[in-house]
Amino acid sequence: MKQFLKLSFVITLLMSAAFILNSCNKDFDSPPGPGDPNITANTSIAALKALHTSTAAYDVITTDRIISGVVVANDKSGNFYKQLYIQDSTGGLQILLDAAGLYGTYPVGRKIFIRCKDLCISDYNGTMELGVKATVSGLTSLEAIPSSLISKFVVGGSINNPVAPKVVTIAQLGTGMQDKYIGSLIQLDNFAFTSLNVTYSDTSVYKSTTNRDVKNCPADGNSTIIIRTSAYSNFAGQKVAQGRGSLLAIYTVFGTTKQLIIRDTTDVRFTNPYACALPPGTLFSEDFETIGANNSVLALTGWKNIGETGAVSYQSAVFGPVKCAKISAFSTGVSSVTSWLISPAISLTGATAPKLTFMNAAGYGVGATSFKVYVSTNYNGSNTPTTSTWTELPATYVTPPATGYSTFISSGTLNLSAYIGQNVYIAFKYQGGDPSATTTWEIDDVKVTAF
Ligand SMILES: [Ca+2]
């Protein structure tokens, strides 16, 4: 028994020792991240960029200038190739390095130091780059720092440094070569893609770098800017983000064109609803700008498009810059047409002096079509709206010309105060027949406002 106890004590001791050794091993296996080298930057990125003042010149750095910056973009997704963007508090700069898989050594957040003497600063159509001056096929060019020389010029420092984008507006982004935002990580708020049914880049065999437009809301300026994406990026074939929100990107220019390059799709934080928030005092607004192709059946979220008699639908109307809704019995072969276009429910709870306005136009007037606007508080969403209670509103309508189309006129202000505190539906009801009453009616800019 004593022997056994002794043995078990020895075993316990050995196990403890093993445990301690193991713990030590563990510490050796996961050392802390690298620190910064014993190098001091003596030049800011802005000061380095200030050496390059003529577009397409090659400015070789002849003195011992050292810059430092935090990596804000690398080649991880393939959208950047053989390049890094680094940033300090004064600006950002593209660094050309002739190596693949740079993201392993230079992750976003790593501070790096660059000994700039003998390197060259130039620009590609206004976006500055740091590399080496070379002669290729008899022509001077800026080339990436050869892989064998990278360690001579570039020294890695600490990792996980914070990388905060600069929140800007498009107007703040300049296109002059010295603009402080060029080469930097920036953030734009409340943007969305203008076309939703597309991928980030070209998925064809041609692998073309592709531009997609993003735009902010009317209240923010209706400004558009390009997101430019390589077909070699690992997200090239992904459908663009469908919502609206913040966008992080590296800001670059191509001449006077402002363009953004995302690092990957996590930079596209479009998690809010696509529609722009309504301006103050607007309870409902439909400008028909998101409709389909001309003559396609009108399909708008929340709206009902009902051919109650004759199965004739409202259609998308696109002519020049104008997009609106239209309806006509012309050439339908249906002698009796009753069609409705009914809005989503609009809440007038708490509304002060709510009113409806819309624009209307008409064309190719034939016979006595009826086109009228109604309001209902008890429409049940069915395809037989006639069974609900509708009250006509005294709108002003254009006189249809016999040939061609009228201009748009306003309905006038239609008082909805009788419906305060309720949900209302607005309906446009068309009645006609082919061939005796075929006038085309068009509506646009349906708005309910209250102040
Ligand atoms: Ca419109």
Side-chain angles (χ1 to χ4, degrees):
M1 187 68 180
K2 211 171 181 184
Q3 279 290 62
F4 174 75
L5 275 177
K6 215 171 190 177
L7 189 64
S8 77
F9 177 70
V10 170
I11 288 171
T12 307
L13 257 184
L14 280 171
M15 281 175 70
S16 304
F19 178 72
I20 289 162
L21 280 171
N22 240 337
S23 306
C24 290
N25 278 340
K26 212 164 193 177
D27 287 343
F28 280 116
D29 284 346
S30 50
D36 286 330
N38 190 20
I39 300 174
T40 305
N42 60 14
T43 304
S44 70
I45 287 176
L48 190 78
K49 289 166 81 172
L51 301 176
H52 179 68
T53 53
S54 302
T55 304
Y58 297 91
D59 294 303
V60 174
I61 297 138
T62 55
T63 56
D64 287 321
R65 289 180 180 271
I66 300 171
I67 58 169
S68 75
V70 173
V71 175
V72 291
N74 58 32
D75 57 359
K76 190 169 185 181
S77 73
N79 204 20
F80 299 98
Y81 180 62
K82 294 188 173 180
Q83 55 185 254
L84 301 175
Y85 280 85
I86 65 166
Q87 193 169 310
D88 69 8
S89 62
T90 68
L93 183 60
Q94 186 188 118
I95 316 294
L96 305 180
L97 301 174
D98 191 16
L102 292 169
Y103 67 93
T105 311
Y106 306 108
V108 167
R110 185 165 199 195
K111 191 171 187 181
I112 64 172
F113 296 76
I114 303 179
R115 297 188 175 100
C116 298
K117 190 180 179 201
D118 299 330
L119 295 179
C120 177
I121 189 160
S122 187
D123 69 279
Y124 181 68
N125 278 287
T127 298
M128 280 198 223
E129 306 169 313
L130 185 67
V132 291
K133 187 179 178 182
T135 304
V136 177
S137 306
L139 295 172
T140 304
S141 69
L142 187 77
E143 298 295 322
I145 299 170
S147 58
S148 61
L149 297 178
I150 291 175
S151 61
K152 177 186 166 190
F153 293 104
V154 181
V155 181
S158 53
I159 59 173
N160 296 327
N161 291 288
V163 176
K166 290 166 181 154
V167 180
V168 295
T169 63
I170 289 181
Q172 285 176 295
L173 299 173
T175 55
M177 202 164 56
Q178 304 289 344
D179 184 83
K180 63 179 173 181
Y181 295 117
I182 296 176
S184 296
L185 184 68
I186 58 105
Q187 177 178 331
L188 293 168
D189 290 333
N190 208 20
F191 274 73
F193 284 95
T194 57
S195 297
L196 295 178
N197 198 22
V198 293
T199 54
Y200 279 93
S201 191
D202 182 18
T203 55
S204 79
V205 294
Y206 301 108
K207 297 256 179 198
S208 303
T209 299
T210 300
N211 294 336
R212 300 292 184 212
D213 285 346
V214 287
K215 190 176 184 180
N216 62 7
C217 289
D220 303 314
N222 252 347
S223 309
T224 302
I225 192 166
I226 291 165
I227 294 183
R228 186 166 173 80
T229 300
S230 165
Y232 293 93
S233 69
N234 64 10
F235 56 89
Q238 278 186 41
K239 201 172 183 185
V240 297
Q242 302 291 293
R244 173 177 300 281
S246 296
L247 175 65
L248 273 62
I250 301 296
Y251 173 54
T252 68
V253 294
F254 188 82
T256 56
T257 302
K258 303 175 183 183
Q259 52 188 25
L260 303 175
I261 308 176
I262 59 172
R263 298 169 298 178
D264 57 43
T265 54
T266 63
D267 279 344
V268 185
R269 300 169 185 183
F270 292 179
T271 52
N272 298 326
Y274 185 81
C276 292
L278 293 172
T282 302
L283 303 179
F284 179 80
S285 178
E286 178 55 66
D287 61 9
F288 301 97
E289 296 302 299
T290 61
I291 59 175
N294 193 36
N295 298 331
S296 62
V297 173
L298 190 69
L300 288 168
T301 306
W303 287 76
K304 296 285 281 187
N305 183 358
I306 301 163
E308 187 175 16
T309 306
V312 175
S313 299
Y314 280 74
Q315 294 181 322
S316 301
V318 181
F319 45 99
V322 177
K323 292 181 176 181
C324 64
K326 68 180 176 184
I327 180 79
S328 175
F330 179 71
S331 202
T332 60
V334 179
S335 60
S336 178
V337 170
T338 298
S339 299
W340 300 74
L341 185 64
I342 305 175
S343 77
I346 303 165
S347 170
L348 301 186
T349 299
T352 302
K355 46 199 163 292
L356 168 71
T357 56
F358 64 94
M359 301 297 287
N360 67 89
Y364 295 94
V366 173
T369 55
S370 165
F371 185 72
K372 300 232 182 310
V373 64
Y374 295 86
V375 59
S376 174
T377 56
N378 69 355
Y379 171 57
N380 59 9
S382 79
N383 287 329
T384 51
T386 298
T387 58
S388 302
T389 308
W390 295 95
T391 303
E392 189 188 339
L393 296 168
T396 302
Y397 298 95
V398 77
T399 302
T403 57
Y405 288 90
S406 73
T407 54
F408 276 92
I409 68 161
S410 171
S411 61
T413 301
L414 303 167
N415 187 353
L416 297 175
S417 291
Y419 308 97
I420 289 172
Q422 301 182 74
N423 281 351
V424 296
Y425 297 83
I426 304 298
F428 297 92
K429 182 183 181 185
Y430 176 91
Q431 290 177 285
D434 186 30
S436 59
T438 61
T439 305
T440 301
W441 282 92
E442 296 173 329
I443 56 167
D444 202 355
D445 293 331
V446 179
K447 266 185 208 168
V448 176
T449 54
F451 293 97

